[in-house]
Amino acid sequence: MPDTLADDVRAPIESAIGALQKGSAAWSALTVGQRVTLLRGVRRTVAANARAWARAAVRSKQLSDDHPLRGEEWLSGPYATLGALDAYIETLDRIAHGRNPLDGLTIDRTASGQTRVHAFPLEGIDKLLLSGFTGEVWLTPGVTPGDARARAGLAQRSPADTDGGIGLVLGAGNITSIPVLDVLYELLAHDRVVLLKVNPTQDALVPVFEKALAPLIAPGFLRIVRGAGDVGAYLTAHDAFAHVHITGSAPTFDAIVWGTGPQAKRRKRENRPRLKKPITAELGGVSPIIVVPGHWSDEDLRFQAEHVATMRLQNGGHNCIAGQVVLLSRDWAQKDQFLIELRRAYALAPERPIWYPRSDERMAQAAEAYPDALVLADRLLVEIGEGDDPSALEQTEYFAPVLGVEQLAGTGQAFLDAAVAHANGKLQGTLGANVLIDPATEASLGAGFERAITALHYGSIAINTWTAFGFITPTVTWGAFPGNTLADVGSGLGVVHNALLLADVERSVVRGPFRPFPRSASIVRDGGRFTILPKPPWFASSRTAAEVSEGLTRFRAQGGVLALVRTLVQAMRA
């Protein structure tokens, strides 16, 4: 184990590890019912600290307290965490009372014959507020519905027989709920107490995390440390840990597993990883946005253009799941109209700092690779023309506000099949893919549409919504499409979230309404999905996103019908 840390840095880390070693035995001794009680305590402390959490996140990302995009930090921080806690509590409560986590859920087969668990919505409030939105978890081929039920619950099925030891979580630096959600998954799916090392970009959140997660910290089930790369290297080499989980980049993953420099290349070539313990990872990628041509109204064109702009610009583009490459039909009669609306939506979205470390360098790389890109203050729009080389756009996860547009031939099924093949074969990574299609066109494609979705090899697929909706939905899963290896890690290994604690996961598919309320009322006759949700609060163009996001978080935390009604009224003004 490397010994390069100063004593005043090493000592608190070793103290934290010692506390976790004691806490591991206490955690293993808890019944599932006692774990439910513990999680309810965590829920109360997260709710009590939600405002402090959101405000700290806003400031850490260089936004003002009245910035129009501050609502992003409510949804992607405390709201996402509270939703996950509620879902885990429900799963563990079922197990504690001798029930299966999948009791009452619909389990059927996809068109390809795979077992599919209908995992969202499960609560009445979600069926109302997010009407029109659904989530499915597809299991790997060959797994039966009986297998799904038998294995649901993972480590919580018999925790007394499991000693997971200590897990190391290397936290993400971009979204504030990610480290907390990864901690919960280590605890509950794998039965490991956790040392969380936060990314330096989230150092300001540590005091909030310590208060919000105090019920886990007090008995020694969690410790939180700060530190840069040297601390991470010390921890990953430490023999106290049974497992490592990282949310980050492929180069960081490779440095952990193989080391750096010429020796790392030799280790990888000889399949001799430096890391001797299991590792899981979520590493991002280049996400496609497939726009299937159809007959869209002017309102459809405008709404979906704002949707695409949001997929790139939320959180300043500093997202592993940010949409990066729009795949558009060059033969679509409305292509030019859509591009006009996209340029407009992309230009008019509120400006914000490019705050994530080195994202300015990646912006400069994109500008150098595509000197004809449309420069719009803090963002770039790259429209690949005839003779342009799209490889940089397709193989570089910019992690910055860089959006590209590529045009492919065909319409209907021919275009969709070509777009799926292009996404699978040309774009780096397999974390998430987005598909926009109007109900009439989807109906006209029939079984061909389902075949195309089956052929789209991504761990999260969003149809008429953004894959970030899958991220924030705790009962579906989050992770790369299976098949990556230590030597070729792609978008990562394993899954997280997964509050139903499902085994044998292949992917999750989330679906949303093509049109918002009130236009959703007329779409039903075309086979579309009705929703009471107007423009979603996560849209960058929403005028009331901050108020609605805060209101929804407070409702999730505290309930209250009158407060919810006020929030819905605000939402109608979006």
Side-chain angles (χ1 to χ4, degrees):
M1 182 174 63
D3 192 15
T4 59
L5 296 182
D7 289 343
D8 61 339
V9 176
R10 185 190 310 105
I13 291 174
E14 292 298 331
S15 176
I17 292 172
L20 290 168
Q21 287 170 332
K22 295 178 182 177
S24 179
W27 173 254
S28 297
L30 291 183
T31 66
V32 177
Q34 289 171 325
R35 294 176 182 196
V36 170
T37 300
L38 177 66
L39 291 179
R40 287 177 175 148
V42 177
R43 190 192 190 285
R44 286 191 292 272
T45 51
V46 169
N49 288 278
R51 180 173 177 78
W53 183 330
R55 292 191 70 179
V58 165
R59 292 170 181 174
S60 74
K61 296 180 181 182
Q62 303 173 27
L63 300 177
S64 63
D65 288 342
D66 61 351
H67 194 283
L69 297 180
R70 67 189 184 279
E72 294 177 356
E73 301 311 317
W74 284 92
L75 287 182
S76 64
Y79 180 89
T81 303
L82 288 165
L85 285 165
D86 286 342
Y88 281 125
I89 288 168
E90 175 63 22
T91 292
L92 267 65
D93 192 58
R94 289 182 176 212
I95 294 171
H97 287 87
R99 301 172 59 203
N100 190 285
L102 303 185
D103 283 353
L105 276 66
T106 299
I107 305 176
D108 60 10
R109 301 274 191 171
T110 68
S112 62
Q114 290 172 249
T115 295
R116 169 175 57 188
V117 178
H118 293 262
F120 183 88
L122 301 179
E123 299 178 357
I125 193 64
D126 287 333
K127 293 176 183 178
L128 173 65
L129 296 181
L130 292 168
S131 53
F133 288 83
T134 59
E136 309 161 358
V137 180
W138 295 18
L139 305 184
T140 52
V143 175
T144 68
D147 296 333
R149 291 187 179 91
R151 298 192 63 191
L154 297 180
Q156 299 307 309
R157 295 173 61 235
S158 55
D161 300 329
T162 306
D163 181 10
I166 306 174
L168 172 63
V169 169
L170 302 176
N174 59 328
I175 296 294
T176 60
S177 65
I178 292 177
V180 179
L181 297 178
D182 290 349
V183 164
L184 291 175
Y185 200 66
E186 283 286 299
L187 275 170
L188 300 172
H190 302 297
D191 225 35
R192 302 183 187 108
V193 297
V194 183
L195 182 78
L196 166 63
K197 190 198 85 68
V198 297
N199 188 291
T201 63
Q202 294 200 9
D203 279 353
L205 274 294
V206 170
V208 177
F209 289 161
E210 290 175 338
K211 292 179 181 178
L213 304 176
L216 297 176
I217 294 172
F221 304 153
L222 170 66
R223 285 294 184 271
I224 303 173
V225 300
R226 297 178 174 91
D230 57 342
V231 172
Y234 180 84
L235 292 171
T236 55
H238 204 295
D239 59 10
F241 299 105
H243 177 263
V244 177
H245 177 78
I246 176 175
T247 297
S249 68
T252 301
F253 177 93
D254 283 347
I256 292 170
V257 174
W258 305 104
T260 57
Q263 289 184 336
K265 294 180 180 179
R266 182 175 178 179
R267 288 192 195 98
K268 183 181 272 193
R269 186 171 61 250
E270 297 174 353
N271 194 27
R272 292 187 298 106
R274 187 179 70 171
L275 186 73
K276 303 303 182 183
K277 56 187 66 98
I279 183 170
T280 52
E282 189 269 275
L283 306 174
V286 175
S287 294
I289 307 168
I290 299 172
V291 181
V292 183
H295 299 289
W296 295 10
S297 68
D298 291 344
E299 292 89 349
D300 295 336
L301 292 163
R302 187 171 304 114
F303 177 79
Q304 295 299 348
E306 293 176 6
H307 199 175
V308 171
T310 296
M311 295 180 195
R312 179 72 263 182
L313 295 178
Q314 200 271 354
N315 197 33
H318 309 316
N319 287 334
C320 58
I321 201 58
Q324 182 164 305
V325 177
V326 180
L327 297 178
L328 200 61
S329 167
R330 70 167 59 99
D331 301 315
W332 184 23
Q334 295 179 292
K335 175 200 66 178
D336 292 337
Q337 291 175 268
F338 180 77
L339 284 172
I340 289 170
E341 292 292 349
L342 179 58
R343 295 176 195 125
R344 176 180 177 275
Y346 200 65
L348 293 180
E351 292 185 27
R352 62 177 299 159
I354 298 173
W355 63 271
Y356 200 82
R358 303 190 68 181
S359 288
D360 55 343
E361 297 176 20
R362 289 187 285 273
M363 286 280 287
Q365 292 172 5
E368 182 177 358
Y370 300 102
D372 295 330
L374 184 61
V375 180
L376 300 164
D378 61 338
R379 63 205 64 163
L380 294 179
L381 180 61
V382 179
E383 297 184 37
I384 299 295
E386 189 174 350
D388 291 340
D389 181 2
S391 58
L393 182 69
E394 295 172 339
Q395 290 295 308
T396 306
E397 183 191 5
Y398 285 113
F399 215 71
V402 178
L403 179 67
V405 180
E406 288 193 69
Q407 297 184 28
L408 306 177
T411 59
Q413 191 71 51
F415 167 79
L416 180 57
D417 290 344
V420 167
H422 191 95
N424 287 341
K426 298 290 187 179
L427 305 189
Q428 187 271 323
T430 61
L431 182 61
N434 310 275
V435 180
L436 302 178
I437 183 169
D438 67 90
T441 300
E442 182 177 345
S444 72
L445 296 181
F449 181 73
E450 294 301 322
R451 286 196 300 270
I453 295 302
T454 302
L456 191 54
H457 286 177
Y458 284 77
S460 181
I461 297 173
I463 302 166
N464 290 334
T465 185
W466 177 26
T467 41
F469 181 77
F471 169 87
I472 210 170
T473 302
T475 47
V476 300
T477 58
W478 190 250
F481 194 82
N484 295 325
T485 64
L486 289 179
D488 185 11
V489 71
S491 288
L493 304 166
V495 299
V496 289
H497 303 187
N498 187 26
L500 295 172
L501 300 179
L502 297 165
D504 307 308
V505 170
E506 183 191 67
R507 72 179 89 180
S508 287
V509 179
V510 292
R511 301 173 189 252
F514 181 71
R515 299 184 180 108
F517 184 83
R519 290 192 299 118
S520 63
S522 64
I523 201 174
V524 176
R525 65 173 179 266
D526 300 324
R529 294 173 169 229
F530 175 76
T531 183
I532 68 165
L533 192 70
K535 183 182 294 183
W538 54 84
F539 269 43
S541 55
S542 173
R543 294 178 299 173
T544 59
E547 295 81 4
V548 172
S549 299
E550 180 176 350
L552 290 174
T553 305
R554 293 193 182 281
F555 176 75
R556 171 65 76 175
Q558 304 165 0
V561 174
L562 290 179
L564 177 61
V565 170
R566 287 194 293 269
T567 298
L568 293 177
V569 170
Q570 290 278 13
M572 295 300 172
R573 297 176 51 241

